[in-house]
């Protein structure tokens, strides 16, 4: 390790040795005067193609704190240096949302939960430093891997047990939002006004997602035709003209002022949950990646999670159980924070929104399930973009799914949605 300042400058001109000194001071609970940064080392935190909106690095800071040497580990997300990649994937929009989430929403929730003596309800990485100007953005977060947190496998479907404790974590996140909104409505509206919809709008469909969405529809239709020809699911899915499913999601994602709209994680699939087992043997779940955070029905997070992370066998046996697990934990969280879950989000209201909006999980799942099954050698090196900006369909050149098992995995979410009346 050495003091290679070019590594810091690659992140942002505002990511400096002084930034590292302040981070070490914060994590050591020491005045920065007692901190000397000795060196730093960068490692890539993502496989090629995994984090297309950001450059993600794991950084080890070697420092001396009150004359004692220590290593401090952080994760730093920054705008891609490749300007074509940055503009193609609208990285600045997503960075704005994530930084606003941590600095406005998460910070507010942290104080709120502390005042209720319920800090353990929500586990998020600590935001240690950031810069936001649309050109030099970065966010530095605590590296929680030394605390025992690890990621679920990117390609595997979850078991009932895994699904249950992740759903409970999502429910607690939503429950905090419901209770805070109930008790501090004016400030809730203020903090949620800091973020905006980054993925599903009519304008984004026309100018960003249209061709790629059409390709995803082709892949899904191919899977249905080969695995479930003439099925109810195939007929229902094929009856939708191009763009209609996306526009349904865009409509759901526009309802920020609805009574039951709360802060959603937005990208709630398995890679964005980290898990550890605490000393009592109970799993603890940490949520991360809030670049798609939005204020909408909690069913959008729920539907995306279930369709992206479970297989058809689990859904056929336990779908209703999963809904109950989620709603029970949500109600419990709202109640412990001092609000009335029956008044705020009853089972009846929840069931109504499941029926109306669960199709969102299909629409977004067309992307996540397809990507989640890509072999490592078929992911995309986004830094090959040489032009100023290209259509994402020209970078994400996804092929039809090769194996019957994987085609069934994708087609299964469509069959389930059709059987349940969501399509």
């Amino acid at each position: 390790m050495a003091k290679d300042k070019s590594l810091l400058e690659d992140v942002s001109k505002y990511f400096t040795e002084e930034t590292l000194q302040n981070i070490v001071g914060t994590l050591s609970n020491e005045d920065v005067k007692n901190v000397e940064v000795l060196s730093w080392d960068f490692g890539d935190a993502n496989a090629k193609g995994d984090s297309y909106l950001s450059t993600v690095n794991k950084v080890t800071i070697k420092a001396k704190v009150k004359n004692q040497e220590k290593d401090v580990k952080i994760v730093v997300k920054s705008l891609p240096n490749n300007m074509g990649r940055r503009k193609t994937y609208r990285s600045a929009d997503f960075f704005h949302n994530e930084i606003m989430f941590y600095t406005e929403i998460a910070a507010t929730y942290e104080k709120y939960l502390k005042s209720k003596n319920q800090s353990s309800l929500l586990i998020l990485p600590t935001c240690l430093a950031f810069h936001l100007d649309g050109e030099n953005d970065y966010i530095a977060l605590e590296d929680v891997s030394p605390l025992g947190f690890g990621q679920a496998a990117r390609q595997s479907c979850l078991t009932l047990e895994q699904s249950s404790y992740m759903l409970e974590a999502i429910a607690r996140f939503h429950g905090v939002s419901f209770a805070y909104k109930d008790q501090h409505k004016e400030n809730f509206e203020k903090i949620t006004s800091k973020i905006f919809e980054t993925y599903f709008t009519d304008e984004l469909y026309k100018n960003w997602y249209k061709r790629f969405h059409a390709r995803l529809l082709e892949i899904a239709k191919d899977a249905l035709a080969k695995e479930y020809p003439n099925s109810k699911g195939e007929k229902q899915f094929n009856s939708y003209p191009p763009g209609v499913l996306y526009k349904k999601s865009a409509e759901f994602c526009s309802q920020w002022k609805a009574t039951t709209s709360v802060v959603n994680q937005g990208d709630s699939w398995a890679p964005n949950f980290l898990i550890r087992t605490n000393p009592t043997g109970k799993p603890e779940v940490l949520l991360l990646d809030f670049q798609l955070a939005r204020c909408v029905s909690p069913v959008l997070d729920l539907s995306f999670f279930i369709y992206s992370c479970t297989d058809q066998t689990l859904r056929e046996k336990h779908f209703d159980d999963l809904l109950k697990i989620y709603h029970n934990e949500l109600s419990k969280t709202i109640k412990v924070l001092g609000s009335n879950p029956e008044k705020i989000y009853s089972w009846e209201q929840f069931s109504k929104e499941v029926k109306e909006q669960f199709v969102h999980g299909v629409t977004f799942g067309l992307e996540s399930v397809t990507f989640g099954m890509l072999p490592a050698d078929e992911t995309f090196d986004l830094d090959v973009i040489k032009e100023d900006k290209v259509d994402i369909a020209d970078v994400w050149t996804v092929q039809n799914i090769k194996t019957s098992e994987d085609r069934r995995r994708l087609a299964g979410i469509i069959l389930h949605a059709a059987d349940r009346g969501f399509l």
Side-chain angles (χ1 to χ4, degrees):
M1 287 202 283
K3 286 190 173 185
D4 185 348
K5 295 199 173 180
S6 68
L7 292 173
L8 304 182
E9 290 166 2
D10 273 349
V11 171
S12 168
K13 67 181 182 181
Y14 296 104
F15 189 63
T16 64
E17 184 174 346
E18 183 181 357
T19 307
L20 301 184
Q21 185 181 20
N22 288 331
I23 287 172
V24 173
T26 298
L27 289 176
S28 305
N29 199 26
E30 283 288 347
D31 191 303
V32 292
K33 294 175 184 176
N34 298 322
V35 175
E36 179 188 359
V37 174
L38 303 175
S39 61
W40 49 84
D41 184 53
F42 276 52
D44 192 356
N46 285 93
K48 181 178 70 173
D50 254 7
S51 184
Y52 55 88
L53 303 175
S54 321
T55 298
V56 186
N57 287 287
K58 283 195 169 188
V59 181
T60 301
I61 310 164
K62 187 172 284 294
K64 190 180 287 185
V65 182
K66 281 191 170 179
N67 294 318
Q68 286 195 328
E69 287 193 12
K70 67 185 299 184
D71 287 350
V72 172
K73 296 180 182 294
I74 62 173
V75 175
V76 184
K77 300 172 72 170
S78 56
L79 290 173
N81 288 327
N82 180 321
M83 293 303 293
R85 174 181 167 190
R86 186 187 296 194
K87 291 179 180 179
T88 295
Y89 287 98
R90 305 173 24 252
S91 296
D93 289 350
F94 294 98
F95 263 80
H96 173 276
N97 252 28
E98 181 148 56
I99 290 171
M100 286 294 101
F101 172 82
Y102 277 107
T103 57
E104 296 287 339
I105 297 171
T108 298
Y109 286 176
E110 182 182 5
K111 291 176 185 174
Y112 170 66
L113 291 173
K114 190 174 182 181
S115 74
K116 299 281 187 176
N117 198 28
Q118 295 291 339
S119 295
S120 63
L121 283 177
L122 190 57
I123 307 176
L124 304 172
T126 302
C127 176
L128 299 166
F130 71 93
H131 184 81
L132 177 62
D133 63 10
E135 297 290 336
N136 305 283
D137 302 356
Y138 77 86
I139 183 167
L141 302 168
E142 174 187 20
D143 182 353
V144 295
S145 58
L147 302 177
F149 285 100
Q151 197 171 64
R154 181 170 173 263
Q155 289 178 281
S156 62
C157 293
L158 302 177
T159 64
L160 177 61
E161 182 184 20
Q162 290 171 323
S163 299
S164 298
Y165 51 71
M166 287 191 190
L167 278 176
E168 288 174 346
I170 296 171
R172 289 190 291 272
F173 177 61
H174 293 160
V176 171
S177 199
F178 268 118
Y180 187 80
K181 180 179 181 180
D182 181 52
Q183 297 163 26
H184 304 279
K185 189 170 189 294
E186 186 175 335
N187 201 53
F188 178 84
E189 291 179 352
K190 179 182 176 183
I191 61 175
T192 53
S193 72
K194 305 289 186 180
I195 58 175
F196 58 86
E197 178 55 42
T198 55
Y199 225 85
F200 291 97
T201 70
D202 289 341
E203 183 179 353
L204 288 174
Y205 177 72
K206 287 185 291 186
N207 299 327
W208 188 62
Y209 204 77
K210 185 176 181 178
R211 279 184 56 212
F212 181 62
H213 183 62
R215 180 68 193 118
L216 293 175
L217 294 176
E218 290 171 358
I219 292 169
K221 288 177 180 180
D222 177 74
L224 286 164
K226 288 175 178 172
E227 302 301 329
Y228 302 102
N230 300 313
S231 63
K232 176 183 175 183
E234 183 186 31
K235 291 173 182 175
Q236 285 282 96
F237 188 75
N238 290 348
S239 71
Y240 285 98
V244 170
L245 289 174
Y246 178 97
K247 289 175 182 179
K248 278 179 176 281
S249 283
E251 180 188 348
F252 303 147
C253 290
S254 71
Q255 298 173 13
W256 287 44
K257 299 294 185 182
T259 306
T260 57
S261 288
V262 290
V263 177
N264 278 225
Q265 192 267 354
D267 196 12
S268 52
W269 68 320
N272 290 332
F273 297 89
L274 300 181
I275 304 163
R276 72 176 178 187
T277 303
N278 69 17
T280 67
K282 183 180 178 182
E284 294 181 333
V285 179
L286 175 144
L287 283 69
L288 72 162
D289 196 340
F290 295 89
Q291 294 185 322
L292 275 68
R294 54 174 66 100
C295 186
V296 291
S297 166
V299 167
L300 270 59
D301 265 356
L302 180 65
S303 63
F304 180 59
F305 173 82
I306 289 178
Y307 280 148
S308 294
C309 302
T310 65
D311 61 22
Q312 182 71 329
T313 301
L314 180 64
R315 289 190 296 270
E316 286 176 347
K317 290 182 179 178
H318 296 293
F319 181 72
D320 291 329
D321 297 329
L322 294 175
L323 296 184
K324 288 173 185 173
I325 288 165
Y326 168 83
H327 192 265
N328 286 344
E329 188 69 17
L330 177 79
S331 300
K332 179 180 166 185
T333 302
I334 293 170
K335 188 173 182 179
V336 81
L337 291 172
S339 289
N340 183 349
E342 274 300 304
K343 175 186 170 188
I344 292 176
Y345 202 53
S346 67
W347 174 260
E348 290 72 25
Q349 179 64 34
F350 170 61
S351 299
K352 179 175 179 287
E353 292 187 6
V354 165
K355 185 175 181 180
E356 294 170 349
Q357 301 191 39
F358 215 85
V359 68
H360 171 76
V362 175
T363 306
F364 202 10
L366 296 177
E367 177 183 317
S368 64
V369 174
T370 300
F371 275 23
M373 294 185 298
L374 284 176
D377 60 355
E378 288 188 23
T379 53
F380 313 106
D381 184 356
L382 305 177
D383 285 322
V384 301
I385 301 173
K386 302 300 182 187
E387 301 170 45
D388 184 54
K389 180 182 177 182
V390 299
D391 193 297
I392 58 172
D394 294 327
V395 184
W396 281 341
T397 51
V398 194
Q399 304 303 310
N400 287 346
I401 298 170
K402 295 176 182 177
T403 69
S404 176
E405 180 184 0
D406 286 350
R407 287 193 295 267
R408 286 172 178 265
R409 167 79 178 90
L410 177 62
I413 70 175
I414 297 166
L415 264 59
H416 182 271
D419 287 343
R420 285 280 174 160
F422 302 149
L423 264 180

